[in-house]
């Protein structure tokens, strides 16, 4: 076997076909089912985007959107058995582990029945992930059993209401809504690929989503938004940030929230997230976080020619919406479950098991020496 086809990290390898999104394609940019991300983030709600990804089309009119929202709202309540599982998880657990476990547990309570109900399972997960996380969180903080209920029509507002216990203001609600749209889908990224690999064995929907959550958790992928806010908040001023960044770069440290495998010049989602971060900084009258972030962006561009990816400014959006840091990556799950679901459905519709090969670099063939004669 030759190494000629070997590409570390599968860089540049076409691993399948998709009709769900385009990422970094010349003349197309980032689109979900052909619609530009700028249009979706500018005009749509996350529920419209979830419908587009999971069910294949935008809702045709207000009535269809309203009925989809009502369906998702009705799917928000947690089964009693799942509430009890969540209550057993330690308060010190990482919320990503809570979602991964919650998803896996739900798979034992509401398993897929036969073929053809993937879209219902996907809607259930879209509706249920915020309820799962906030039930676990509030139970350990105050003993409250939320059971996932709230009649806020949108997922962003539902999440903020369960987190803060009050009606979210319009600006924050829309900022989170837009972040969910930006996070919803991104072609063959690591977690989506992981979901597709699991689906390709004809495993069940919940196993594929559980694989994806585990893959998203790492700081090189979804976990970068949590690392980004830790970095920004480490500094007291733009000058302090500049000095700190220079030290990190000299030590060859990675700066989370920068760089991308596919994008080489800019991440089209970053400009939208940046705009929302600036709006929120203006809205709460606290420019410091944005000034520090902008200086980090300047230094990274000048020193490394690197640009912020979606996670960098989204981290500021989440901080200014009063969201605890360890919930940043779970918010990514709330959104990306729509994209993962679309990919699992697509994989199943034209399946072939993923099974690449490896170049062997281990020892030469050697004799087996029975135990007792090895020295
Ligand atoms: N900070 C510092 N240097 C970085 C960097 C970052 N965030 N991202 C890439 N680089 C540098 C690497 O050190 C490497 O330099 P070298 O060739 O001198 O060794 C070069 O750029 C290529 O990086 P590499 O990690 O090989 O690229 P990749 O395509 O394998 O990885 C990412 C892509 C996204 C994983 C990578 O850019 C990264 O780790 N970013 C930080 C984590 C992050 O924000 N993830 C969210 C992605 S949406």
């Amino acid at each position: 076997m030759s190494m000629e086809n070997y590409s570390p990290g599968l860089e540049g390898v076409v691993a399948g076909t998709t009709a769900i999104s385009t990422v970094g394609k010349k003349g197309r940019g980032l689109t979900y089912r052909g619609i530009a991300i700028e249009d979706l983030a500018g005009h749509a709600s996350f529920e419209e985007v979830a419908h587009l990804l999971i069910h294949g089309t935008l809702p045709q009119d207000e009535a269809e959107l309203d009925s989809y929202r009502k369906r998702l709202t009705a799917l928000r309540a947690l089964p009693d058995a799942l509430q009890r599982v969540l209550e057993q998880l330690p308060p010190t657990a990482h919320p990503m582990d809570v979602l991964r476990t919650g998803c896996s547990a739900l798979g034992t309570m509401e398993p897929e029945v036969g073929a053809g109900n993937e879209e219902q399972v996907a809607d259930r997960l879209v509706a249920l992930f915020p309820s799962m996380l906030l039930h676990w969180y509030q139970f350990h903080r105050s003993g409250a059993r939320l059971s996932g209920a709230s009649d806020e029509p949108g997922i962003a507002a539902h999440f903020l209401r369960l987190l803060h216990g009050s009606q979210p203001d319009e600006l924050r609600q829309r900022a989170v809504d837009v972040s969910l749209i930006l996070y919803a889908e991104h072609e063959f990224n690591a977690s989506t690929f992981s979901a597709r690999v699991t689906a390709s064995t004809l495993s069940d929907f919940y196993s594929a989503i559980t694989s994806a959550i585990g893959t998203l958790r790492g700081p090189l992928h979804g976990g970068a938004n949590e690392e980004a806010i830790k970095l920004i908040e480490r500094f007291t001023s733009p000058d302090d940030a500049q000095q700190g960044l220079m030290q990190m770069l000299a030590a060859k440290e990675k700066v989370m929230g920068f760089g991308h495998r596919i994008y080489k010049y800019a991440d089209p989602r970053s400009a939208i997230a940046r705009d929302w971060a600036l709006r929120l900084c203006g809205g709460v009258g606290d420019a410091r976080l944005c000034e520090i972030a902008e200086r980090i962006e300047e230094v990274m561009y000048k020193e490394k020619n690197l640009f912020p990816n979606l996670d960098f400014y989204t981290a500021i959006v989440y901080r200014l919406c009063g969201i605890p840091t360890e919930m940043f990556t779970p918010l990514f799950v709330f959104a990306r479950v729509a994209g993962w679901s679309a990919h699992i459905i697509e994989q199943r519709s034209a399946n072939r098991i993923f099974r690449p090969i490896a170049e062997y670099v281990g020892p030469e063939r050697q004799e087996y020496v029975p135990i007792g004669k090895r020295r």
Side-chain angles (χ1 to χ4, degrees):
M1 190 193 74
S2 88
M3 289 281 275
E4 148 191 314
N5 294 327
Y6 174 45
S7 173
L10 298 182
E11 179 166 4
V13 172
V14 178
T17 61
T18 186
I20 300 167
S21 61
T22 57
V23 174
K25 298 268 185 294
K26 223 172 168 201
R28 283 184 188 268
L30 174 57
T31 62
Y32 297 172
R33 299 204 188 272
I35 305 175
I37 191 65
E38 292 77 10
D39 289 336
L40 292 169
H43 308 292
S45 62
F46 173 68
E47 288 71 33
E48 280 182 77
V49 170
H51 194 283
L52 174 69
L53 293 169
I54 296 169
H55 301 284
T57 58
L58 287 170
Q60 291 309 300
D61 50 26
E62 285 290 344
E64 194 179 359
L65 175 59
D66 190 46
S67 120
Y68 186 54
R69 282 211 171 104
K70 288 199 170 106
R71 180 141 52 95
L72 292 178
T73 307
L75 290 171
R76 278 178 192 163
L78 294 163
D80 288 349
L82 185 54
Q83 291 184 39
R84 286 196 295 279
V85 169
L86 294 167
E87 288 163 17
Q88 294 307 309
L89 301 179
T92 49
H94 191 285
M96 284 297 279
D97 299 343
V98 172
L99 291 183
R100 192 191 60 222
T101 306
C103 179
S104 183
L106 186 71
T108 68
M109 296 162 197
E110 300 178 5
E112 277 189 87
V113 278
N117 74 334
E118 293 107 332
E119 294 179 21
Q120 283 89 323
V121 176
D123 284 343
R124 177 73 162 145
L125 289 170
V126 168
L128 216 53
F129 276 137
S131 306
M132 270 185 210
L133 181 63
L134 272 304
H135 181 86
W136 166 81
Y137 180 74
Q138 300 296 16
F139 177 79
H140 285 302
R141 269 168 57 106
S142 66
R145 288 197 153 96
L146 294 181
S147 78
S150 117
D151 50 13
E152 294 289 348
I155 284 166
H158 167 61
F159 166 74
L160 290 169
R161 152 82 71 159
L162 294 188
L163 178 63
H164 297 309
S166 57
Q167 170 123 42
D169 66 57
E170 290 258 328
L171 184 68
R172 288 183 174 82
Q173 187 177 313
R174 181 62 184 151
V176 172
D177 194 37
V178 170
S179 78
L180 297 178
I181 294 171
L182 299 177
Y183 269 139
E185 161 58 16
H186 216 223
E187 200 221 46
F188 275 33
N189 57 86
S191 58
T192 301
F193 189 56
S194 172
R196 287 190 80 128
V197 170
T198 304
S200 82
T201 69
L202 301 184
S203 185
D204 72 302
F205 209 94
Y206 297 92
S207 295
I209 299 285
T210 306
S211 302
I213 296 173
T215 308
L216 186 71
R217 189 188 193 295
L220 294 188
H221 192 7
N225 57 15
E226 296 183 18
E227 298 307 315
I229 199 67
K230 288 179 200 160
L231 175 79
I232 296 165
E233 289 186 333
R234 205 196 291 171
F235 303 119
T236 52
S237 67
D239 286 348
D240 184 28
Q242 178 150 3
Q243 207 182 13
L245 253 281
M246 294 305 283
Q247 283 166 1
M248 284 177 76
L249 295 178
K252 301 221 170 305
E253 278 182 56
K254 269 208 166 165
V255 180
M256 298 307 174
F258 281 83
H260 201 273
R261 171 63 65 77
I262 307 291
Y263 300 127
K264 294 300 168 212
Y265 307 105
D267 178 339
R269 305 164 298 175
S270 173
I272 304 169
R274 185 176 188 272
D275 185 45
W276 277 97
L278 291 170
R279 273 196 228 188
L280 284 165
C281 276
V284 298
D286 177 5
R288 199 178 55 92
L289 281 182
C290 284
E291 286 168 4
I292 290 173
E294 286 178 312
R295 183 67 70 83
I296 294 175
E297 183 177 352
E298 273 170 41
V299 173
M300 287 301 282
Y301 188 71
K302 191 157 164 265
E303 300 296 324
K304 297 283 292 183
N305 214 12
L306 283 172
F307 52 86
N309 56 48
L310 171 59
D311 293 313
F312 189 64
Y313 281 104
T314 303
I316 294 189
V317 169
Y318 288 168
R319 172 58 74 247
L320 294 177
C321 289
I323 299 169
T325 305
E326 60 285 359
M327 287 193 187
F328 288 11
T329 318
L331 270 145
F332 197 153
V333 173
F334 300 168
R336 186 58 62 85
V337 65
W340 291 333
S341 299
H343 280 274
I344 296 166
I345 293 167
E346 185 174 68
Q347 180 67 34
R348 285 178 169 186
S349 72
N351 188 56
R352 188 155 191 229
I353 191 170
F354 281 99
R355 203 315 185 180
I357 50 174
E359 174 80 3
Y360 179 67
V361 293
E364 289 303 317
R365 194 176 169 118
Q366 53 179 323
E367 202 185 321
Y368 173 77
V369 180
I371 197 156
K373 293 195 176 167
R374 289 179 197 160
R375 21 182 191 149

